Amino acid sequence: MKKRLGFLFVFLVFGLVMAACSSDDATSSNTEDIGGEITVWAHPFTGEGDEEKEMWNDVISNFEEEHDVTVNFEQIPWSNRDQKILTALASGDGPDVFYAIPDQMPQYADEGLLLELDPYTEDLDMDDFVDTSLVSTTWQDTLYGLPILQEAYTLFYNNDILKEIGADPENLPETWSDFEEWAKMAKENNVYALSYPGGGSMNGTFYPWLWQNGGKVVTQDGEVKINNEAGVETFQFINKMYENGWIPEDSITAQEHNSLWNGGKIMAILGSGITLSNLKAKGEIDFSIGPPLKKSEQVTYGTTGMFVASKKSDNPATAAEFIKAITNTENQKKFNTVTQYIPTRESAKGIFDDQEHLKQLSTYTQYALPGVIHPQGRAIMPLLQAEVQTMMEGKKSPEEAADAAAKAMEQKLKE
């Protein structure tokens, strides 16, 4: 397993009480309770309906045969998924197992809607999971999900621009200081150093810089950290990039900078697997992928997808066993070969051995945090975003914006 990151230790304490097992396919200690019927909900992950359907049929039929159970599978749309899932769980008529993302899990867990998985994973090899993939599956030291996919966002560089400004594509930046030097070179050559879509998610703008600086938004106990020293320094750095013209003029509210990137006006963008797919499809930009940057920590953003179970399931042991099965090595290989996401098990990452760039991205998931893990994580994001935007407009200093963001968040957390 990749070396553990010190700052993640607090999230992974629960791992110390899990007995390691020699096989990730081991069965539950509650095997006598496995049986009956369960319903599984998942979303469409690709545009290749037939291939995805065949994958699910294979996974489910193998599970049904092995355990003599019935699995009813339903693919639900991404739109309005929160409302559909919450309504179903509250009524008790929802799925036994369903797919969740990092900002959903703590909401559901905090409301007592999810099955605790710790009793069902005592015999499971947790050490094969990438450490960062387990951050979003745990709330208040309790395991509620097992991860099946990850992403890792990092900087994609336009090689033609690098050559134009005198930078070496074979020696890409590793630290903030390295990147700042290249940003200055880009500015001198009338190109932007970075795309900063400030009107989009903070996961792709502010948060990576904050984490790289050793900062944190809020703890699981609700302590707001955004205006501590690391937070203020991050506000200052974002402001510096904007005032120096390293990022586009419309970065305050922009949703994307595709035209500038495609037109050869931006040196680097923060991207992931979908960025890679788009670049390969167009084939117009010669690019290199650099490692996640660091100041005090080497960290980046990358979502984690997981499967969780309803606390109201009539067959909790079967539901837990299905989650263990879908996230084991072989099924992660099948799932992620079709979806082209990165497996959360180290033993499944070999599916990308013959794909240079995806193989490279898969090595960065060890640095990928899934966002703010808190029931109010989604609600406090726009509060922080508004203060970052106000600062960039020149209406508040970085210190004032950080303090205002902290005050707004603390108020929200009290509601």
Side-chain angles (χ1 to χ4, degrees):
M1 172 179 286
K2 300 292 182 183
K3 183 179 179 181
R4 286 175 168 77
L5 300 173
F7 73 97
L8 290 176
F9 180 78
V10 67
F11 295 109
L12 301 174
V13 170
F14 72 90
L16 298 178
V17 298
M18 294 181 180
C21 178
S22 61
S23 170
D24 69 318
D25 295 318
T27 56
S28 167
S29 58
N30 300 285
T31 51
E32 67 275 11
D33 298 323
I34 298 174
E37 186 173 341
I38 60 171
T39 297
V40 176
W41 283 5
H43 308 292
F45 293 92
T46 71
E48 303 296 328
D50 290 342
E51 186 177 6
E52 191 170 340
K53 182 178 179 180
E54 183 178 341
M55 178 272 296
W56 279 116
N57 287 341
D58 181 44
V59 169
I60 289 171
S61 62
N62 288 341
F63 182 80
E64 289 178 325
E65 182 177 350
E66 180 178 357
H67 297 288
D68 191 25
V69 299
T70 298
V71 177
N72 301 307
F73 178 77
E74 182 180 347
Q75 194 171 74
I76 67 172
W78 290 96
S79 60
N80 299 318
R81 63 188 183 278
D82 283 333
Q83 181 179 356
K84 182 177 178 67
I85 291 172
L86 283 170
T87 300
L89 293 180
S91 69
D93 295 327
D96 298 274
V97 174
F98 63 99
Y99 180 84
I101 57 178
D103 63 359
Q104 293 175 314
M105 186 282 292
Q107 295 180 56
Y108 303 154
D110 202 53
E111 293 173 16
L113 299 174
L114 298 183
L115 177 71
E116 296 182 10
L117 295 183
D118 293 299
Y120 302 96
T121 57
E122 294 176 352
D123 57 358
L124 192 64
D125 178 12
M126 301 297 290
D127 284 342
D128 190 38
F129 286 107
V130 180
D131 286 343
T132 54
S133 73
L134 296 174
V135 171
S136 64
T137 64
T138 308
W139 174 246
Q140 301 292 4
D141 298 326
T142 299
L143 183 70
Y144 288 103
L146 289 178
I148 191 167
L149 67 85
Q150 275 188 290
E151 287 184 297
Y153 278 74
T154 192
L155 293 179
F156 286 62
Y157 295 86
N158 184 319
N159 287 335
D160 291 333
I161 290 180
L162 298 188
K163 295 171 185 175
E164 178 185 332
I165 68 176
D168 182 7
E170 299 297 324
N171 189 26
L172 299 173
E174 297 182 356
T175 67
W176 280 24
S177 295
D178 295 340
F179 186 80
E180 284 194 56
E181 290 304 311
W182 282 30
K184 295 173 185 176
M185 294 162 61
K187 175 63 176 177
E188 290 171 359
N189 286 269
N190 298 314
V191 294
Y192 298 110
L194 179 70
S195 166
Y196 188 92
S201 172
M202 302 295 277
N203 287 326
T205 52
F206 191 89
Y207 288 170
W209 298 103
L210 177 68
W211 298 330
Q212 289 164 10
N213 198 35
K216 190 175 183 63
V217 181
V218 61
T219 68
Q220 288 198 2
D221 293 328
E223 183 180 0
V224 175
K225 297 284 191 177
I226 194 63
N227 62 335
N228 65 11
E229 183 178 356
V232 171
E233 287 180 352
T234 306
F235 273 85
Q236 292 170 337
F237 184 74
I238 300 301
N239 204 44
K240 178 181 179 179
M241 288 200 293
Y242 188 64
E243 290 185 338
N244 288 351
W246 298 348
I247 57 180
E249 291 86 348
D250 67 348
S251 293
I252 299 174
T253 58
Q255 295 289 327
E256 44 81 14
H257 288 124
N258 293 338
S259 60
L260 289 173
W261 166 255
N262 293 332
K265 298 297 183 181
I266 296 181
M267 178 182 72
I269 57 171
L270 189 68
S272 63
I274 190 167
T275 311
L276 179 61
S277 299
N278 292 337
L279 286 169
K280 286 185 174 181
K282 293 181 178 179
E284 298 172 354
I285 296 177
D286 179 26
F287 67 93
S288 293
I289 302 176
L293 298 177
K294 66 177 179 179
K295 189 180 182 190
S296 62
E297 301 282 355
Q298 186 174 19
V299 200
T300 187
Y301 167 72
T303 192
T304 300
M306 72 194 83
F307 281 96
V308 296
S310 169
K311 190 173 183 178
K312 294 185 177 181
S313 173
D314 291 332
N315 294 298
T318 306
E321 194 66 20
F322 182 84
I323 292 174
K324 291 165 64 176
I326 187 60
T327 58
N328 70 24
T329 298
E330 290 309 309
N331 284 333
Q332 283 211 28
K333 287 180 178 179
K334 295 175 183 178
F335 180 92
N336 290 296
T337 295
V338 172
T339 64
Q340 291 291 281
Y341 284 103
I342 300 171
T344 59
R345 285 189 175 274
E346 295 287 0
S347 57
K349 287 185 176 181
I351 61 174
F352 295 137
D353 281 350
D354 61 348
Q355 299 183 56
E356 175 189 359
H357 292 113
L358 274 174
K359 182 179 180 180
Q360 181 182 357
L361 288 176
S362 72
T363 66
Y364 297 151
T365 57
Q366 62 178 310
Y367 309 119
L369 290 182
V372 175
I373 306 303
H374 191 279
Q376 295 288 347
R378 190 182 298 181
I380 63 177
M381 184 184 292
L383 304 178
L384 172 58
Q385 183 177 47
E387 295 303 331
V388 174
Q389 292 171 328
T390 300
M391 174 194 68
M392 293 170 72
E393 291 171 344
K395 297 178 181 179
K396 288 182 182 178
S397 69
E399 294 79 6
E400 290 170 338
D403 285 339
K407 183 177 180 180
M409 289 180 187
E410 287 167 352
Q411 183 61 42
K412 185 65 179 178
L413 294 177
K414 291 177 182 179
E415 293 179 1

